[in-house]
Amino acid sequence: MALVHFIVYNFKTKEKVKYEKQLNLFSSIFVPKSLYDSHCYYHGDDISIDIHHDLASNKMDISVKIRNFPGGLPDLDAEFHGIHNVERYKPMVVCNPFSDDSVMFSHKCLMPGSGSMRIAKPSGSDAFTTIDFPMESTQIIIDDHKGYYPYITRYDWVTALGKDEQSGKLIGFNLTNNQVVQQDKYNENCLWFDGELHPLPPIRVTRPDGYTGVWFVQDQHDMVRLEFEPVTHTSVNLNLIVACSKYEGPYGVFRGYVRKRDGEKVVVDGMVGMGEDFYLRI
């Protein structure tokens, strides 16, 4: 069971286009074992996604081509390039245990990027609208993770990226609460600031008004105090008897602060990002 999707959301106009396919075991999809000279891809008749990666040369290239997608969605071409220089932009790399005999690996990194996207105009002609993503205002987060997950997997996760309003420095964060044991010792929570990595303690996510209301993200040491307000929602619900997946993944805006290791506050009011509430039985 696999899922391929490419989502375009315009925070200014509130327009959203979601290309999504559920795949079977015989689909042309490949996930490599590492990020060294690797090629991750899905090739289909209506959508193809290619990710070329090589840590040795600081390279990450993404290309997307969509034609005649079901539902009358517009054709699209996109390419993005990330500077995955782990010396300049420190990644969060962990191997965290679920139990004595099962673990998960994760490599996450915030980096500057650039690219462009061409999306067909709704007029029915062959004309495309081109959107450029210049290096000075574009950020990319890679999230590569694999593991021997529990039979029933649950987690909460939030992430965001942008630039610090005062300094103009690249900032972002990754925060999750999952089934990893001893999370005071093993977790993948961090703040990125100007390429430096600042580890963070365990967090909890609460949603007093449900998935569409404000999410509250906090720790017990006043290192993380965030509110996340969803503005658009993505849900994926699969029930195949032998497997079941429930996914809630809104995009939205964060308010609050995260602290560096030395205690300095980094205010993230207005930063865009997303959250996930995930359940999987397989």
Side-chain angles (χ1 to χ4, degrees):
M1 183 175 66
L3 183 72
V4 168
H5 64 193
F6 186 80
I7 300 173
V8 180
Y9 183 72
N10 188 323
F11 275 87
K12 292 183 178 180
T13 65
K14 311 301 182 186
E15 295 174 288
K16 177 181 176 181
V17 183
K18 181 174 75 169
Y19 306 88
E20 181 176 278
K21 289 186 70 174
Q22 297 178 24
L23 308 180
N24 58 45
L25 295 176
F26 304 100
S27 299
S28 178
I29 187 170
F30 179 74
V31 179
K33 293 182 179 180
S34 80
L35 299 177
Y36 287 95
D37 194 21
S38 66
H39 180 198
C40 179
Y41 63 83
Y42 169 72
H43 294 158
D45 294 335
D46 44 20
I47 179 171
S48 291
I49 300 176
D50 292 87
I51 305 173
H52 293 273
H53 219 123
D54 188 22
L55 281 178
S57 58
N58 307 327
K59 182 182 76 171
M60 183 177 73
D61 297 322
I62 305 169
S63 61
V64 181
K65 183 175 182 178
I66 301 173
R67 292 292 186 273
N68 302 315
F69 201 85
L73 296 180
D75 292 349
L76 180 146
D77 295 310
E79 62 175 36
F80 302 97
H81 310 283
I83 301 177
H84 199 172
N85 182 341
V86 297
E87 295 297 327
R88 175 63 181 89
Y89 304 102
K90 301 295 190 298
M92 167 62 77
V93 181
V94 296
C95 189
N96 289 337
F98 293 118
S99 66
D100 291 339
D101 57 2
S102 63
V103 299
M104 60 87 68
F105 159 82
S106 177
H107 175 117
K108 295 178 171 68
C109 189
L110 169 68
M111 68 193 82
S114 62
S116 65
M117 181 169 63
R118 298 171 64 249
I119 188 166
K121 294 182 177 180
S123 61
S125 68
D126 294 332
F128 282 74
T129 297
T130 299
I131 304 170
D132 291 321
F133 296 87
M135 180 73 69
E136 60 269 18
S137 59
T138 302
Q139 307 89 38
I140 297 173
I141 291 180
I142 179 176
D143 182 353
D144 178 50
H145 59 272
K146 305 174 178 69
Y148 296 95
Y149 287 86
Y151 171 64
I152 294 178
T153 297
R154 297 185 179 94
Y155 65 75
D156 291 311
W157 174 69
V158 294
T159 190
L161 72 177
K163 288 198 172 182
D164 182 62
E165 288 188 357
Q166 295 183 346
S167 65
K169 303 294 187 181
L170 192 67
I171 59 173
F173 56 80
N174 181 83
L175 299 164
T176 187
N177 178 26
N178 51 27
Q179 291 157 286
V180 167
V181 299
Q182 301 181 55
Q183 291 195 32
D184 284 318
K185 183 178 181 180
Y186 304 108
N187 71 62
E188 52 185 305
N189 299 331
C190 69
L191 166 72
W192 290 286
F193 189 93
D194 192 27
E196 293 300 317
L197 180 74
H198 300 263
L200 293 167
I203 56 95
R204 292 289 183 271
V205 179
T206 57
R207 308 176 189 85
D209 297 315
Y211 304 114
T212 59
V214 175
W215 300 21
F216 296 89
V217 186
Q218 298 182 346
D219 74 315
Q220 295 182 346
H221 307 281
D222 192 34
M223 297 292 287
V224 179
R225 290 291 184 274
L226 295 173
E227 296 179 8
F228 172 60
E229 183 176 358
V231 297
T232 186
H233 211 73
T234 297
S235 297
V236 179
N237 293 291
L238 302 174
N239 193 343
L240 305 178
I241 302 177
V242 296
C244 178
S245 176
K246 298 177 182 179
Y247 171 90
E248 305 292 340
Y251 298 99
V253 179
F254 285 87
R255 298 185 297 271
Y257 63 85
V258 182
R259 293 185 188 270
K260 299 180 183 179
R261 278 176 293 193
D262 61 7
E264 180 186 350
K265 282 185 181 180
V266 178
V267 177
V268 299
D269 292 350
M271 186 177 294
V272 299
M274 68 174 299
E276 289 184 349
D277 180 21
F278 184 70
Y279 168 93
L280 176 66
R281 172 180 55 79
I282 188 169

